[in-house]
Amino acid sequence: MFNKRTLTDAPVLWNAGIALALIVYAAGLFIIPMEPDATIYAEVSMEMYQRWDFLEIFRKGADWLDKPHFPFWITALSYKVFGLNYFAYKFPGVLFVLFGGWYTWLFGRRFYGRLQGLLAVFLLLTAEHIIISNQDVRAEPYMTGLTIMGLYHVASYLRTKKFRDLLLTSIAMGCLVMTKGPFTIIPIVAGVLCTLIYEKRWRELFNTQWIGCASLTVLAMSPGLYAYFMQFDMHPEKVVFGTTGVSGIRFFLWDSQWGRFRNTGPIRGSGDPFFFVHTLLWAFLPWAFLALYALYRKTRDHFRRTVEGESYTYFGFITLFLVFSASRFQLSYYLNPLFPLLAILVAEQLVMISRKRNYLKTFAIIHLVQALLVVIVFIALQHFFFRDLPGWLSLVVMIPMLAWALYIFTRKGMYLKKIVFATAFVTLAVNFYINQWFYPHLMPYQSQNTMAEWIRDNKVPADNLICYDTEEQVADIILARVIPMYKLEDGTPELLKGKLAYTTPEGIAKVEAMGLTTTVVKEFEEFHVTMLTGTFLNKGTRTQALKKRFLVRIGDR
């Protein structure tokens, strides 16, 4: 039989899949944050925690106007509870993703059924870029949880008219805005607005309830507005982005958002209208092809006006997806907050095709091919990068999961279990290997943390430590201090002499050109670990990709 009971009668598989996902997340909690983005969040949160000032944001001791406050507030509080460490930085982000998983379950169950809700949360928690973002934590895990929270409560409000739902929607949207700006509420606003227009619910559309919702949202985000006002608008003499008279509120609400969309802001991208299409193909693996099918079916059904279920998730996803595609500033992790919506759409369609044998066979074959490719990538990575076999813990987790997946794939029929569970087991097993074995061996090549750990372990005084001609934030967390950074052109004899400097060969040359002496204390191998290349991954050619970094003492002339 090809029906949904094939999935509902498999509690052991559900429990094993969810448990393995949590184990994968836990393994990622203790990996050193990666330069530069994640470490910037960690370092800024550290300064907020050490100053215990939640109104002002500083980076390397200077006023910082780039990202809003909410993630820094949460992380600073986590530092207070757990201490200044990697776990404390990442843990809140993982909690917000799990929080998003809970709301994904609630949404799917309420609007489709218990199985769709269970499927949706399972698809969300096992999507590749969600796994990556729970290891390389930035702002997106917070947005992932808050987006589906806001959409769930506003959709529930339109059913029940309970004020509590409207209030929680406003709180979610206020926190979203304080996480990464006003564009973050587009999925919620567009999901409701487009649905009401599509369903011709004009009375709901023009109801004064939305004025109340907007007012509550502004109230919820007012702490961030007040903080920006006190740090920047009250001090027009501060130099920000090379100029004075900068309004923090204006930058936050307008310049930053529109500047990124138009690619005229201080940080710029290249812009490709198909960037998020091909990003989706890997970021939502192993469910990407199901996602494309679900989006096709939902789009077709909306044009034909044969939609079953709700439209909030479809319009919320597609609107922001198109906005991102039209933007000139694009990064892969921008899609993460949309993944709960996409997971709900995919879960709905997967249940709908559960009686269609041909569809199930086709997707089962696609997922088998995906699983084989994932295993081949794992074998190739292990072969080329390492000289030894994976550690025992990786093998203890991976071998049973891969064997279980192989058993399901080789059984006759069982197409839904092949599509859902066998595929997930392969994906999670390899991601556990990556988090537990690969990244711990990769991160020493991020020389900033290797340098800081060497200083800490050898009890080298770091009071006069600086970074010259290089950037770092992660050493600040390891050494629990703000380490000044200087560009090559900023170096002067008065500034550099007597310092312990983490620097480049060019930095050493510049120092010696000033007539100062340098003594190499320690030499490190450096590679930008967020931009892996074949030359680096191949242990036979790796030395060609490595750069040199030095810890040097700078003496007088």
Side-chain angles (χ1 to χ4, degrees):
M1 291 290 292
F2 301 97
N3 58 56
K4 62 184 183 181
R5 290 192 63 187
T6 305
L7 293 180
T8 55
D9 291 344
V12 174
L13 294 173
W14 285 113
N15 292 335
I18 295 295
L20 184 57
L22 295 178
I23 291 172
V24 171
Y25 292 175
L29 284 172
F30 301 94
I31 299 171
I32 296 170
M34 298 183 190
E35 298 278 3
D37 292 343
T39 58
I40 289 176
Y41 277 96
E43 196 276 339
V44 170
S45 301
M46 182 197 77
E47 293 196 51
M48 183 176 285
Y49 159 68
Q50 290 180 331
R51 293 170 181 266
W52 206 242
D53 178 359
F54 285 73
L55 290 181
E56 297 185 304
I57 300 178
F58 293 91
R59 181 191 173 198
K60 293 290 186 178
D63 292 285
W64 195 57
L65 180 59
D66 188 41
K67 300 290 192 297
H69 297 71
F70 185 75
F72 306 126
W73 289 340
I74 300 298
T75 308
L77 291 173
S78 182
Y79 285 154
K80 182 71 173 178
V81 174
F82 298 108
L84 195 59
N85 54 66
Y86 317 141
F87 172 87
Y89 168 66
K90 295 183 178 184
F91 186 60
V94 175
L95 284 184
F96 267 82
V97 168
L98 298 177
F99 178 70
W102 169 251
Y103 269 106
T104 301
W105 148 252
L106 292 178
F107 197 111
R109 184 185 64 175
R110 175 159 217 164
F111 289 95
Y112 295 102
R114 184 178 181 277
L115 175 59
Q116 288 88 334
L118 194 58
L119 261 176
V121 67
F122 189 73
L123 300 179
L124 173 67
L125 296 182
T126 53
E128 184 61 32
H129 215 303
I130 293 294
I131 296 173
I132 292 172
S133 295
N134 278 330
Q135 185 271 111
D136 187 26
V137 174
R138 306 177 191 185
E140 281 62 36
Y142 298 92
M143 294 165 60
T144 301
L146 292 168
T147 299
I148 188 60
M149 171 190 172
L151 191 61
Y152 169 77
H153 281 294
V154 73
S156 297
Y157 172 77
L158 288 169
R159 275 192 170 190
T160 65
K161 296 300 182 181
K162 291 182 179 179
F163 175 75
R164 179 181 70 95
D165 284 316
L166 197 67
L167 176 63
L168 290 173
T169 297
S170 302
I171 291 173
M173 291 199 296
C175 292
L176 274 170
V177 174
M178 290 191 296
T179 299
K180 214 160 187 179
F183 85 89
T184 57
I185 65 174
I186 289 177
I188 301 171
V189 175
V192 171
L193 179 64
C194 294
T195 296
L196 294 181
I197 293 173
Y198 178 79
E199 297 177 357
K200 299 180 180 180
R201 295 160 64 180
W202 308 117
R203 181 174 295 181
E204 289 280 14
L205 185 63
F206 295 104
N207 198 308
T208 55
Q209 62 200 356
W210 305 123
I211 297 176
C213 184
S215 301
L216 289 170
T217 300
V218 172
L219 182 63
M221 59 188 265
S222 61
L225 297 176
Y226 177 74
Y228 271 128
F229 179 80
M230 294 300 293
Q231 185 172 4
F232 296 101
D233 295 67
M234 284 286 288
H235 297 279
E237 75 281 0
K238 289 184 176 181
V239 178
V240 183
F241 302 130
T243 186
T244 57
V246 174
S247 167
I249 294 177
R250 175 185 168 84
F251 177 84
F252 169 55
L253 293 178
W254 182 257
D255 295 339
S256 174
Q257 305 295 290
W258 188 243
R260 292 206 173 198
F261 182 79
R262 292 286 305 276
N263 207 34
T264 58
I267 304 175
R268 303 187 182 186
S270 56
D272 173 3
F274 298 103
F275 175 83
F276 288 107
V277 175
H278 52 73
T279 295
L280 184 64
L281 291 176
W282 69 264
F284 203 61
L285 283 175
W287 321 115
F289 291 99
L290 282 169
L292 293 178
Y293 172 77
L295 290 170
Y296 160 73
R297 286 293 300 264
K298 270 293 190 178
T299 301
R300 188 197 67 177
D301 291 348
H302 276 86
F303 274 109
R304 292 180 177 179
R305 291 196 167 273
T306 58
V307 177
E308 296 182 21
E310 49 79 39
S311 295
Y312 304 110
T313 50
Y314 172 76
F315 285 122
F317 175 88
I318 208 70
T319 303
L320 190 55
F321 188 88
L322 293 175
V323 169
F324 281 158
S325 296
S327 170
R328 298 290 303 280
F329 190 89
Q330 302 164 328
L331 294 170
S332 60
Y333 48 81
Y334 281 9
L335 287 182
N336 282 35
L338 296 178
F339 281 175
L341 285 61
L342 187 58
I344 292 166
L345 295 174
V346 173
E348 177 206 8
Q349 292 299 319
L350 191 54
V351 171
M352 289 181 68
I353 67 171
S354 61
R355 292 181 179 271
K356 299 178 180 179
R357 182 185 182 95
N358 291 337
Y359 282 74
L360 292 177
K361 288 181 68 175
T362 300
F363 280 112
I365 292 171
I366 291 173
H367 281 225
L368 173 60
V369 172
Q370 284 185 167
L372 290 173
L373 290 175
V374 168
V375 172
I376 290 171
V377 169
F378 150 68
I379 293 172
L381 182 63
Q382 173 64 30
H383 172 74
F384 286 107
F385 190 83
F386 294 100
R387 300 183 186 278
D388 303 318
L389 290 174
W392 67 268
L393 183 56
S394 290
L395 295 175
V396 164
V397 173
M398 289 184 67
I399 291 175
M401 290 297 102
L402 292 176
W404 204 349
L406 179 63
Y407 170 76
I408 295 173
F409 272 128
T410 54
R411 290 290 301 275
K412 185 177 180 179
M414 299 177 60
Y415 295 119
L416 277 174
K417 290 181 180 179
K418 291 175 182 177
I419 293 169
V420 177
F421 298 115
T423 308
F425 288 165
V426 173
T427 301
L428 290 171
V430 173
N431 273 283
F432 180 79
Y433 160 83
I434 289 172
N435 280 357
Q436 196 277 327
W437 184 252
F438 174 70
Y439 273 120
H441 287 82
L442 173 70
M443 294 312 295
Y445 291 101
Q446 182 173 273
S447 63
Q448 297 95 326
N449 46 269
T450 308
M451 173 269 297
E453 290 168 346
W454 186 86
I455 288 176
R456 180 197 61 197
D457 295 343
N458 288 275
K459 296 181 173 57
V460 176
D463 294 342
N464 62 344
L465 176 64
I466 65 169
C467 290
Y468 183 50
D469 189 37
T470 189
E471 180 179 338
E472 71 76 31
Q473 282 82 209
V474 70
D476 297 50
I477 309 301
I478 296 171
L479 298 175
R481 65 175 63 245
V482 177
I483 301 170
M485 293 191 309
Y486 300 103
K487 296 180 181 178
L488 192 65
E489 60 270 21
D490 294 335
T492 64
E494 293 73 23
L495 175 68
L496 298 175
K497 65 182 179 182
K499 294 294 194 296
L500 180 65
Y502 167 70
T503 188
T504 63
E506 293 78 12
I508 293 177
K510 182 68 181 289
V511 170
E512 293 177 346
M514 297 177 194
L516 300 176
T517 61
T518 60
T519 303
V520 175
V521 178
K522 185 70 175 176
E523 180 179 321
F524 304 95
E525 294 179 323
E526 159 71 17
F527 186 81
H528 197 325
V529 296
T530 61
M531 302 180 69
L532 299 176
T533 65
T535 303
F536 171 77
L537 290 174
N538 186 347
K539 56 182 176 288
T541 59
R542 186 171 304 144
T543 56
Q544 302 172 24
L546 298 177
K547 298 179 180 179
K548 296 294 184 182
R549 295 291 183 266
F550 301 92
L551 188 65
V552 300
R553 293 194 184 279
I554 303 175
D556 293 333
R557 292 181 174 88

